[in-house]
Amino acid sequence: MLLAVFTPCMTDCWGNNKASIPVHLDKRAMHPLLSLCVFWLLPLALTLEEDSPLDCVPRRSVPYHRNNAHLFREEGVFNYSTMLLREDLNLLVLGAREAVFALDLKDISKKHASVKWEVTKQQEDECKNKGKDPETECKNYIRVLHKTEDSRMYVCGTNAFDPECDYMSYADGKLTLEKKGEDGKGKCPFDPFQRYASVMSENGLYSATSMNFLGSEPVLMRSAPDSIRTEFKSSWLNEPNFVSMTQMPESVSSEDGDDDKVYVFFSETAVECDCYNKLVVSRVARVCKGDLGGQRTLQKKWTSFLKARMDCPVLESQLPYIIQDMYLWCDPQKDWRDCLFFAVFTPQSDTSDLSAVCAYRVSDISRVFEEGKYKTPVPVETSFVKWVMYSGDVPFPRPGACINNAARKEGINRTLDLPDRTLQFIKDKPLMDQAIQPIEERPLLVRRGATFTRVIVTQAQAADGKKYHVIFVGTEEGTLLKAVNYDQEMFIIEEVQLFHPPEPIKSLKFSEVTGHIYAGSDYGAAQIPLATCNRSFSCMDCVLARDPYCGWDQVDRKCVFLSTSKKKVIQSVEDGDASACPDADPVKPVNRSIWPGRNLKLHCTAPSNLAKTAWERDSSPLTPAARFQFLRDGLLILNASDSDAGRYRCLSVERSKADEHSMAVAEYQVSIGPAGTGDGTLIFPRARVDGPSVAGLQVVVALLVVCLLALLAWNFYKGHLPLPWNCGKKVAQSQETHEQGSEKPLVLETDNGRSSNNHNRGEAAFNAEEEHNDQAVTLPTLKFIDDESDI
């Protein structure tokens, strides 16, 4: 029944013909075994998915260490998420919560200057009165940082849910705010945790955010010199989540006199889907920089706003993946049409933990907007509006197009001259029918695990003369992935932990001047080089890393950065062929001794996550047995005997596209000593704490505990066992009974003033009881005879 509901929803979303897909299922025609087959096939499907190449494992995992990167953090300051590279000043301008820092571009741990921009007590109180958290939301989060043409900086902050902008300058080692206090509505978000996008072009700020306090008026606008924005219509922007914005110089060498464009990437609730639940899709929209709005229709509104859906197909997922970040890469020696958009996508449901990186050609996106079909809303009998492909006549000039030579020939030199028919068309139909597909209609990188957050792409020229795109991806766990796609082979070179404790990476920047990548998070900022080749200590490890930035220097016998070495290096990035590597230096053996009948562990760790370890004894392969346990980090010898003495060697075996390569990692000379001797490195087997057997045992123990508790509760209820709070009473009664049945004789004693203190205390208690009674009765005192003197 779920299939019958879900399938027509998705076919409508993608604009396919519902009649071509048999989705109307008769429940009476479905055999009862069909449901059972689904449950049988589900584990098989999960198994196939687990063994799929999408489980891309980084070859090297680098744990957190202070030497991994240059770090910057100031006590009491958080949210280092806005970055501006001022390579002309050798600065990294870092925007945080209520502070802006000017850091050394070559070493960001060195702070040159800083300036505070804090909210006033009145602003904080007003924000608190509006229902916002004074400790987190009612602060000033720096969200906009751009360089102006006069070398100043334009900066905006959330300012306790009342956004404000200002100009900032750096001179004589100081950062200075001019305190002009410009209104930041539409330029900067109100909510510090809301996604936004902005770009500065010719002192004109293009921004995508919300216009009001509630965040219910999303807008894509240009603030200056001529203010212009989008319509407040769901067909234009429907609950968007803005991601990134960039500009393209499409007027350069344009044959038809085209205009420059501004592209904005975002996700929103799809209006074209007649789904029962809201479906989020990824979008790219563009506007022309020379757009001035219409004369009567669309006054001070974009006349060139067009948007299209972006697809990043992952495992033929039914629900589309959602864009989280975008990076524009252009070859300075090629035309703008050869530029590429690299985007990060994540699933919109909790049923998948895959993240992906897809690449798109700018020319493909431009072609959809210039030549593609439009979608149009069509009322149907039901309460919703259905969007279908528009097949009618398209007016001239083409709706959403920039002013070009063809329009100028018709006397249309500005958007103010556009006819109302064109303007009304784009006002009602801003959505394109065709979806934009990635290059080769597949992702460049897909990985299961930590969610992708940000992406940066560089280009490296390898030793073979070829150029490769190196993808750096930030994750929610504070790690940075470095990956390359070699002819549709997804290969992750390494994963480096940048922040501890783990914090999501919220910004990434790359500097061509320093060749470093800068990452920002709530905790702080980090700076790392493009490659750390010295992590490889051998030629084989250096070559198998397949890093286009690194190669093995045969003269210096070390792994070096390619651009800094003028000597011939060994490198094989596409195949990972390490056959050209010279023989490695022999491993120095370590002497170990063990008592007979005892256990010994020989440590060995593979230098790569893709490698497996193999053991040899006296140059012969060693196979796992009852007394030889192969562990992930070594070999465990159980119940050693004289025959176990010998030379043990651990090999790291790693397979690449070229061949299988092995390398000696550790070597031990093991001797069996007489009883009472040994080096003290004895190992006793430890209980296994993971795996299916242990999990089953834990379930059995849990069930036994539940049964025991139920049995106890039943015995308490039936009275077979005393309740805990009645135990004291029963113990007292049993003690009293025991004392009465003892052999000590009881005598009657009257108060004659010669009793001991203990007896007086007993009488005092008895007299207190007498005073409580209505009639005073004098009774002799009962007393145990403790010794002969009492007799």
Side-chain angles (χ1 to χ4, degrees), residues 55-93:
D55 295 320
C56 202
V57 179
R59 185 183 180 273
R60 178 186 288 116
S61 298
V62 183
Y64 172 79
H65 194 278
R66 295 189 63 180
N67 294 334
N68 289 350
H70 294 299
L71 298 175
F72 173 80
R73 184 178 186 272
E74 193 161 286
E75 193 66 27
V77 181
F78 303 94
N79 199 265
Y80 304 82
S81 58
T82 306
M83 292 183 174
L84 172 63
L85 292 175
R86 289 300 304 268
E87 295 173 332
D88 55 331
L89 301 175
N90 291 321
L91 292 178
L92 173 68
V93 183

Side-chain angles (χ1 to χ4, degrees), residues 86 88-91 93 101-104 111-114 151-153 167-178:
R86 289 300 304 268
D88 55 331
L89 301 175
N90 291 321
L91 292 178
V93 183
F101 302 95
L103 311 178
D104 193 318
K111 182 179 71 172
H112 291 319
S114 65
S151 294
R152 292 186 300 170
M153 287 166 278
Y167 286 90
M168 183 174 60
S169 59
Y170 177 80
D172 301 327
K174 293 183 179 181
L175 278 176
T176 305
L177 286 170
E178 298 183 4

Side-chain angles (χ1 to χ4, degrees), residues 484-501:
V484 183
N485 189 290
Y486 294 119
D487 193 21
Q488 300 307 320
E489 178 196 3
M490 295 174 286
F491 187 79
I492 301 179
I493 299 171
E494 66 179 6
E495 181 177 17
V496 183
Q497 185 77 44
L498 295 183
F499 300 104
H500 184 77

Side-chain angles (χ1 to χ4, degrees), residues 170-469:
Y170 177 80
D172 301 327
K174 293 183 179 181
L175 278 176
T176 305
L177 286 170
E178 298 183 4
K179 299 183 179 180
K180 291 189 175 181
E182 292 187 2
D183 186 8
K185 293 181 179 63
K187 305 175 184 178
C188 177
F190 285 74
D191 190 341
F193 307 109
Q194 186 181 51
R195 294 295 300 272
Y196 67 100
S198 64
V199 67
M200 181 77 77
S201 177
E202 299 175 359
N203 284 344
L205 180 66
Y206 295 80
S207 57
T209 182
S210 179
M211 283 283 290
N212 63 345
F213 178 88
L214 298 176
S216 58
E217 294 182 356
V219 64
L220 166 60
M221 66 176 293
R222 181 183 63 215
S223 304
D226 300 299
S227 178
I228 188 174
R229 63 172 178 83
T230 49
E231 281 272 6
F232 291 136
K233 293 181 62 176
S234 61
S235 58
W236 283 50
L237 295 172
N238 189 22
E239 300 177 4
N241 192 26
F242 298 107
V243 167
S244 181
M245 186 182 294
T246 188
Q247 59 175 330
M248 292 297 301
E250 299 185 15
S251 64
V252 178
S253 302
S254 175
E255 297 179 356
D256 57 356
D258 202 358
D259 192 9
D260 293 340
K261 310 289 195 310
V262 173
Y263 290 86
V264 58
F265 297 83
F266 61 101
S267 60
E268 68 171 352
T269 303
V271 295
E272 68 269 27
C273 297
D274 53 342
C275 302
Y276 296 98
N277 296 320
K278 291 183 178 180
L279 184 71
V280 180
V281 295
S282 301
R283 303 280 200 208
V284 55
R286 66 148 217 203
V287 292
C288 303
K289 290 178 62 177
D291 197 338
L292 299 176
Q295 184 68 38
R296 291 175 297 273
T297 305
L298 293 179
Q299 291 183 8
K300 295 186 178 181
K301 308 294 192 305
W302 295 106
T303 65
S304 55
F305 178 83
L306 289 174
K307 63 178 182 179
R309 193 182 79 246
M310 296 182 68
D311 285 346
C312 184
V314 180
L315 284 178
E316 298 181 356
S317 175
Q318 294 291 336
L319 294 176
Y321 272 51
I322 306 305
I323 187 170
Q324 299 297 333
D325 192 30
M326 185 281 304
Y327 183 78
L328 172 64
W329 182 88
C330 293
D331 190 337
Q333 300 178 354
K334 294 184 179 180
D335 188 67
W336 63 268
R337 293 177 179 83
D338 297 316
C339 293
L340 300 175
F341 286 123
F342 292 86
V344 164
F345 290 83
T346 58
Q348 63 177 302
S349 65
D350 297 333
T351 58
S352 175
D353 59 350
L354 293 174
S355 298
V357 177
C358 282
Y360 305 85
R361 295 185 183 92
V362 175
S363 57
D364 293 340
I365 298 177
S366 180
R367 187 179 304 110
V368 170
F369 288 130
E370 293 176 358
E371 304 174 3
K373 299 285 187 178
Y374 300 88
K375 275 188 178 294
T376 183
V378 177
V380 293
E381 295 179 356
T382 55
S383 59
F384 57 83
V385 175
K386 185 176 181 63
W387 287 74
V388 298
M389 185 183 71
Y390 179 76
S391 56
D393 295 333
V394 177
F396 180 86
R398 179 179 170 86
C402 301
I403 303 300
N404 54 18
N405 294 336
R408 294 185 186 98
K409 289 182 179 179
E410 300 295 328
I412 302 174
N413 299 310
R414 302 177 304 170
T415 58
L416 296 171
D417 303 329
L418 289 171
D420 287 342
R421 184 166 179 258
T422 297
L423 297 177
Q424 190 63 44
F425 188 99
I426 199 63
K427 182 178 180 179
D428 299 333
K429 309 175 190 52
L431 178 62
M432 306 304 297
D433 180 71
Q434 182 180 351
I436 298 171
Q437 300 296 330
I439 297 176
E440 298 189 10
E441 298 187 357
R442 69 178 77 181
L444 289 178
L445 174 66
V446 178
R447 190 205 178 193
R448 174 177 285 107
T451 304
F452 292 173
T453 58
R454 299 292 184 269
V455 62
I456 284 286
V457 179
T458 64
Q459 189 179 68
Q461 183 171 346
D464 58 6
K466 295 182 180 179
K467 295 181 179 180
Y468 301 92
H469 287 114

Side-chain angles (χ1 to χ4, degrees), residues 129-146:
N129 293 334
K130 294 176 182 178
K132 302 302 178 180
D133 190 343
E135 298 298 327
T136 57
E137 298 174 308
C138 297
K139 301 294 182 182
N140 188 24
Y141 290 78
I142 306 302
R143 284 292 175 262
V144 175
L145 264 177
H146 294 294

